[in-house]
Structure formats: structure tokens, C-alpha cells
Amino acid sequence: MRVVAGEAKGRRLISPPAAVTRAATERIRESLFAIIEPVIGDSRVLDLFAGAGSLGIEALSRGAARATFVERDRTALAAIRANVAATGMGDRARVVAANVLAFLGGGTGGPFDLVFCDPPFSEVELLSATLAHEGLRASLAPDALVVARVLRKHRPTLPDGARIERDKPIGEETLLFLRYDAAR
């Protein structure tokens, strides 16, 4: 797996074993970043269920100001740290070893302009709980974009005040681009 574009283009990223994470393929990252390119510059990024950190690192490579990676698996955390170091982005990255819901409940260090939410496909309830978490909503900057990666057949329940701005099918997956209403 390599960084697709930006200052770290072509740098190789390590990935934990497939049993631990499900890395975003180059095709998915290319499609995703083609859509969000206009909002990346100087953005503050939150990468939830970060896995190897490929989404947050790709955002940093393309000009994001900073990224916070949240992951609980030790093997994946080691991969994120190695990937951040290999791309030279350690000064703009924060790696947090935590359960995502606990992290959201404890203050996130936001606000964030762009959030990636990519939990295991089989955990649709976890995705729904994350998207509905008051800590997520509280950590969003005005007009923030939340991108959720899901299997087409496993759509999450959206919380009140969240709306799908765009839906991008890619193979068996779908990228959901969400905006949250400012009023709660």
C-alpha cells in the first residue's frame, strides 16, 4: 500500500494483518480524495478506527494541517506510528490508543473539519453509535464533513440532524459523505 498523492506520494505504508484491519484500497482512496480534495487544505482531520492510518496520512500528504488517529489494536497502532514516521508527518499527527466511543466521550481535542469513520464492516451498530455519539457532534467544526465507509448492504442508522450529502458506491462498498446540522 502506498500514499496516492501529495508530499508523501509513493511512500510505502505498512499494514497490520488482514485479521486486525481492513485497509482502504488505492481505488477507494483515489475516489474518496477526488471528492473531498477541495476541503482538505489546512483541515483538521480525525481518523476513527484508523487501522494503518492510510486515510489520515493521505489527508496530511494532500495538505491537511493536522490529523488525530484513534485506534485500539496494538498491532494497528504500531503500524500507524511507523507510517507517520516513514512519511515524515509526525509533527502534524497525534496517535491515540483508545476505544473510539470512549475517546469521543472524553473530549477529542477538536474541532475537526474532516472525520473518517471506518469501523469493521460487520459492526453496523458500532458505526451507528459512533455517528450518533454526542462527542462526535461536539467535536465537529462548522460545516465539517464526516465520511463513513460501509458495505452497501449494511447501511447505518443516521442520527437526527445528520444528512447524507453524497453517496459513492465503489464495488461492494459505499462511501457516505455526511453533514450535521449546527442546531442540536
Side-chain angles (χ1 to χ4, degrees), residues 87-98:
T87 56
M89 297 184 189
D91 60 330
R92 295 170 26 215
R94 175 179 163 224
V95 180
V96 179

Side-chain angles (χ1 to χ4, degrees), residues 49-174:
F49 309 97
S54 63
L55 296 177
I57 288 170
E58 191 74 44
L60 287 171
S61 181
R62 293 171 184 245
R66 63 182 173 92
T68 298
F69 301 86
V70 182
E71 177 59 59
R72 70 178 180 190
D73 181 84
R74 286 190 314 215
T75 307
L77 286 161
I80 294 168
R81 289 184 180 106
N83 290 335
V84 165
T87 56
M89 297 184 189
D91 60 330
R92 295 170 26 215
R94 175 179 163 224
V95 180
V96 179
N99 171 288
V100 166
L101 296 178
F103 170 79
L104 292 173
T108 62
F112 296 99
D113 305 296
L114 180 59
V115 177
F116 299 118
C117 189
D118 190 9
F121 283 155
S122 63
E123 298 194 35
V124 180
E125 294 82 19
L126 178 58
L127 176 57
S128 296
T130 302
L131 295 176
H133 200 288
E134 192 56 36
L136 175 62
R137 188 182 297 264
S139 70
L140 298 177
D143 205 32
L145 182 63
V146 176
V147 181
R149 182 176 162 212
V150 301
L151 277 178
R152 271 199 221 172
K153 63 183 179 178
H154 293 148
R155 300 291 282 232
T157 302
L158 295 181
D160 290 341
R163 68 188 184 290
I164 297 174
E165 185 173 271
R166 184 167 179 176
D167 180 315
K168 174 68 176 165
I170 304 170
E172 293 182 359
E173 300 180 27
T174 296

Side-chain angles (χ1 to χ4, degrees), residues 167-181:
D167 180 315
K168 174 68 176 165
I170 304 170
E172 293 182 359
E173 300 180 27
T174 296
L175 296 173
L176 299 176
F177 298 83
L178 308 169
R179 299 268 187 197
Y180 285 69
D181 296 337

